[in-house]
Amino acid sequence: MRATHEHEWEAAPGLPEPLPPGEKILWQGAPHWYALAVHAFHVRKLAIYFGLMLLWQALSLQHDGADLVDIAISLSKSLSLALTALCLLGMAAWWSASTTLYTLTEKRLVMRVGIVLSLTFNLPLRCIRSAHVKPLGQDQADIALELPPGDRIGWFHLWPHQRAWHLRHPQPTLRCIDDAERVGALLERTWLRAQHASSPAKVTSSTPAQPSGDRKSTRLNSSHTDISRMPSSA
C-alpha cells in the first residue's frame, strides 16, 4: 500500500517541492494545540470574561428579586452559549495546529499554514534578520522571525502564525512549539552557517493550486547571541 498524507499535492509533508540535492531536513514540528488555543485564540481570557459575566448576571437577577429557579435557568442558558463559543475556539485551535507544519532545512525555513486554503512560505535563512523569542512555559515558546524591509508577507495570510501587534511589518512566527530551547539553538546554528551564502534571497509562497511554488529578542546577525538562552517561564 502506498503511503499517503493529508496534503496530496506536496512533494513531501510540509514541502511543495522536492528539496535540492544535498539539502536535508533538520527539524519538523507543529504548534501545540492547547497552547495555541490559550495564547493565540485566547480561550483562557475569554473563559475568565464569561465567568465574570455569569457572576454579574446572577447578582443582577438576585438584585431584581428573581427566585433561584429563574436564576438557574437564565444562567444555564448563558453558560451553554459560553461553552459553545469556547469549544468552537478550541476546535479552531486544534484544526489550525493539525494543518500546520514547520520545516527547518540546512538553507531555509518552510511554513505550511492555513486551514481552508493551505499556503506554504519559503523563508531562506540568509534573508532572516533576527529572531524574537517569547517563552510560554513548559519548554514551549513562540519564535518570531524578522524579515528585511523589502520582504513582506500579509498579516492575514500568516494569522495566527505571526507576531502580535506587528501589522506594518508582519513577522512569521513558529507558534507554541515544544522543545523550544533545542529548536532555537538548532535554528541559530543553521542560520549562522547559511550566512556564508552570497546570493540575494527573497521570501516566496505557494498555494495548493501552484504546488511548484514584552519579549526577549535575539539578534541572529550578532556572533555573540544565543537564541537558545531563554527563561524557563513567561
Side-chain angles (χ1 to χ4, degrees), residues 125-195:
L125 293 177
R126 59 183 180 270
C127 81
I128 297 175
R129 299 180 60 186
S130 63
H132 307 269
V133 180
K134 180 183 179 182
L136 304 175
Q138 299 181 352
D139 200 19
Q140 295 175 342
D142 291 344
I143 302 179
L145 307 174
E146 183 178 348
L147 304 177
D151 291 323
R152 187 179 185 277
I153 303 176
W155 192 91
F156 287 104
H157 292 161
L158 285 170
W159 188 90
H161 310 276
Q162 89 298 329
R163 189 179 181 186
W165 308 114
H166 285 67
L167 303 179
R168 180 171 297 180
H169 300 289
Q171 297 182 7
T173 302
L174 308 182
R175 295 300 301 264
C176 306
I177 58 173
D178 292 318
D179 201 9
E181 185 172 351
R182 181 184 67 84
V183 175
L186 177 62
L187 175 60
E188 184 198 19
R189 292 195 302 267
T190 310
W191 182 90
L192 290 173
R193 289 196 296 265
Q195 297 314 298

Side-chain angles (χ1 to χ4, degrees), residues 9 16-17 117-120 205-213:
W9 52 270
E17 295 179 336
L117 176 64
S118 292
L119 297 174
T120 302
S205 65
S206 63
T207 66
Q210 298 174 330
S212 60

Side-chain angles (χ1 to χ4, degrees), residues 37-154:
V38 171
H39 298 286
F41 290 81
H42 306 291
V43 170
R44 185 163 54 192
K45 295 177 182 177
L46 284 174
I48 295 174
Y49 170 79
F50 288 143
L52 293 175
M53 291 299 98
L54 288 172
L55 178 61
W56 178 266
Q57 182 181 6
L59 293 176
S60 297
L61 290 173
Q62 185 180 22
H63 181 268
D64 293 339
D67 56 30
L68 293 179
V69 175
D70 291 336
I71 293 177
I73 294 175
S74 297
L75 290 180
S76 63
K77 292 179 181 179
S78 299
L79 179 60
S80 63
L81 293 176
L83 291 177
T84 299
L86 294 176
C87 288
L88 290 175
L89 285 175
M91 291 176 59
W94 176 85
W95 201 355
S96 178
S98 64
T99 56
T100 296
L101 189 60
Y102 307 131
T103 303
L104 175 65
T105 75
E106 297 169 318
K107 296 182 179 180
R108 73 195 74 236
L109 180 67
V110 181
M111 300 174 61
R112 186 245 283 154
V113 302
I115 296 177
V116 177
L117 176 64
S118 292
L119 297 174
T120 302
F121 298 102
N122 174 35
L123 310 176
L125 293 177
R126 59 183 180 270
C127 81
I128 297 175
R129 299 180 60 186
S130 63
H132 307 269
V133 180
K134 180 183 179 182
L136 304 175
Q138 299 181 352
D139 200 19
Q140 295 175 342
D142 291 344
I143 302 179
L145 307 174
E146 183 178 348
L147 304 177
D151 291 323
R152 187 179 185 277
I153 303 176

